[in-house]
Amino acid sequence: MYPNILRHPGPTPIPKKVQLAMNQDMISHRTREFVQLYQDTTKRVRPLFGTKQDILLLPSGGTAALEAAALNTVSPGEEVVVITVGAFGDYFVSICEKHGFQVHKLEKAWGEACTEEDLINFLKPLSNIKAVFATYNETSTGILNPIEKLAHVVRTQTDALFIVDGISGIGGAPAEMDNWGIDILVTGSQKALMLPPGLALLSISERAWKVIENNHTPSYYLNLLSYREWALKGMTPNTPAISLIVGLSSVCDLIEEEGGFSQTVARHEVMKRMVREAMKSLSIGLLTTDVYGSPTITAILAPEGIELSSFLGHLKKKYNLDFAGGLGHLQGKIFRFGHMGYCFPSDILEAVSLIEAGLQDLSYSFELGAGVLAAQKVFLSSQRK
Ligand SMILES: *Cc1c(COP(=O)(O)O)cnc(C)c1O
């Protein structure tokens, strides 16, 4: 039996070291030991967000933190812009509609990014926008939106807050929250952070705190002011996801051992190029352009003449290699190759070689080894630099 190879865009593989760290004896969250853990860990994770602000921890999936960001800053009836380029952008639309915000939806075709020009033009006729919501890394299509440029547009053209879903990007993609001018940046544990699901992280700018202080937030559990108040004491208002915070501390160790977060970002960039060049060499199409392609996940079109669900089923059954299919109308048209978190160039070589084996099994016409060779070339040239 082949070992299970999880190349999903989340949940993702968890390093053994992190698993073992999380197996330690439980501690109480009202102890000095926890305060130490909380304060150290939230400090060490700041480079992943590119912020000097505190990182708040919610014991939840990422969606709860997205909802917290929305309902702590905007009140019913107020106008917001939501940028959506895929299934996860639509989450923000649903959250904002559910809370009765007046939503102006900037929608792009799935597989495209929202450009600076798109946003400039969309904002022109609008005034009174309280917040602009965007997805950094659209997990359903493998798009990395040019978030720095979008932040610049929001900053220069409006007084709105810029609220970003960084789930599946943060931990693999570069982020400079403070320098770029992002007001709230959210992520979750089970994507690029190499942890099990159940911990959400968010960071909030001074500007956004001012808005939050004056906003009437109709929520007890997701009230960010109470998280801030407790964070001053190195604690959370309610029982936190203690084991996951222990795991997060271990993840910070791994990132530091790699040589710091910039090295982690560089590795993801190499893996992105390895996957893309491998697929091109096998004459398999990609949903996105190289420019906007994500460093943590690649959306790959069905190989010519191959029925996708049988191909993915075959890879899973014969080689225990697990990819995610497409969402919504892309189901059956693409598969998604996750390369985030605990994933290395050697893992890409492995997955590409098994894709080739599967293609050969299904009599796809290609030159055996072409994909591996292309990936290997990208890898070796990245080593020489
Ligand atoms: C996974 C994901 C979500 C949802 O996170 P949950 O932890 O499942 O609530 C939202 N946005 C993006 C971009 C994601 O990748």
Side-chain angles (χ1 to χ4, degrees):
M1 187 60 184
Y2 280 78
N4 178 33
I5 308 169
L6 185 63
R7 291 271 65 92
H8 262 252
T12 60
I14 298 162
K16 186 61 105 202
K17 190 172 166 172
V18 175
Q19 281 181 20
L20 291 172
M22 290 189 299
N23 258 344
Q24 285 169 24
D25 287 343
M26 188 48 64
I27 58 168
S28 157
H29 60 295
R30 300 293 186 230
T31 56
R32 214 188 280 162
E33 202 181 349
F34 178 80
V35 169
Q36 187 77 41
L37 169 73
Y38 179 94
Q39 289 176 335
D40 282 356
T41 309
T42 52
K43 260 201 198 89
R44 292 169 77 202
V45 84
R46 285 182 194 167
L48 280 59
F49 285 68
T51 188
K52 291 196 173 65
Q53 299 296 328
D54 285 341
I55 307 291
L56 299 179
L57 304 176
L58 269 54
S60 69
T63 309
L66 298 180
E67 186 157 28
L71 89 152
N72 280 266
T73 51
V74 184
S75 295
E78 291 182 328
E79 290 182 58
V80 299
V81 168
V82 181
I83 298 168
T84 174
V85 303
F88 291 101
D90 290 347
Y91 273 38
F92 257 151
V93 174
S94 304
I95 289 169
C96 290
E97 285 177 350
K98 192 81 184 170
H99 290 288
F101 309 164
Q102 201 181 315
V103 177
H104 301 277
K105 184 158 89 170
L106 195 181
E107 197 168 13
K108 295 284 297 203
W110 287 27
E112 285 178 23
C114 175
T115 65
E116 207 173 358
E117 293 71 41
D118 292 330
L119 185 58
I120 290 172
N121 293 329
F122 191 83
L123 287 174
K124 258 182 202 150
L126 301 174
S127 55
N128 264 330
I129 298 299
K130 193 80 189 288
V132 177
F133 293 87
T135 317
Y136 185 17
N137 191 66
E138 177 49 72
T139 320
S140 66
T141 59
I143 278 286
L144 191 75
N145 273 316
I147 215 75
E148 177 182 4
K149 290 185 177 146
L150 300 181
H152 181 74
V153 174
V154 175
R155 274 284 166 276
T156 50
Q157 252 182 273
T158 74
D159 293 324
L161 295 179
F162 190 44
I163 300 176
V164 175
D165 172 354
I167 307 171
S168 86
I170 299 307
E176 292 291 339
M177 174 176 162
D178 295 349
N179 292 339
W180 296 349
I182 293 172
D183 289 297
I184 303 186
L185 183 58
V186 174
T187 196
S189 51
Q190 79 276 26
K191 309 280 173 90
L193 289 183
M194 330 180 222
L195 289 167
L199 181 70
L201 300 83
L202 75 176
S203 188
I204 298 171
S205 73
E206 295 293 346
R207 259 165 54 90
W209 278 122
K210 292 213 176 73
V211 173
I212 293 169
E213 283 159 11
N214 293 309
N215 187 65
H216 172 72
T217 299
S219 171
Y220 173 73
Y221 200 64
L222 294 182
N223 195 310
L224 293 175
L225 289 173
S226 75
Y227 282 86
R228 180 172 71 169
E229 197 181 313
W230 280 89
L232 294 174
K233 296 181 269 188
M235 288 187 259
T236 54
N238 310 98
T239 314
I242 297 169
S243 310
L244 296 177
I245 300 173
V246 173
L248 182 61
S249 163
S250 175
V251 165
C252 291
D253 290 343
L254 290 177
I255 291 171
E256 283 159 21
E257 278 166 28
E258 189 170 22
F261 185 54
S262 63
Q263 293 303 311
T264 309
V265 167
R267 165 166 54 86
H268 282 83
E269 193 57 35
V270 170
M271 295 193 294
K272 161 191 169 176
R273 285 173 32 229
M274 288 175 75
V275 173
R276 299 184 75 87
E277 293 312 311
M279 292 309 120
K280 290 176 198 169
S281 296
L282 297 171
S283 307
I284 297 174
L286 299 166
L287 183 66
T288 60
T289 62
D290 289 349
V291 174
Y292 293 116
S294 158
T296 59
I297 173 173
T298 302
I300 300 168
L301 304 182
E304 191 77 33
I306 298 270
E307 205 274 306
L308 201 51
S309 66
S310 8
F311 180 55
L312 296 180
H314 177 78
L315 290 177
K316 174 71 186 153
K317 188 152 177 259
K318 186 160 180 196
Y319 303 110
N320 216 1
L321 172 59
D322 212 341
F323 290 116
L327 299 176
H329 68 270
L330 291 179
Q331 197 178 359
K333 300 210 169 72
I334 62 161
F335 68 101
R336 294 175 301 144
F337 185 141
H339 35 88
M340 61 181 75
Y342 197 49
C343 185
F344 290 80
S346 50
D347 297 307
I348 305 298
L349 292 172
E350 172 188 65
V352 169
S353 74
L354 292 176
I355 288 175
E356 289 195 17
L359 290 170
Q360 173 124 316
D361 296 338
L362 299 193
S363 309
Y364 178 75
S365 155
F366 71 109
E367 193 187 326
L368 189 65
V372 174
L373 180 65
Q376 183 73 282
K377 279 183 178 164
V378 172
F379 172 53
L380 292 177
S381 71
S382 78
Q383 294 303 95
R384 273 197 292 273
K385 270 190 269 168

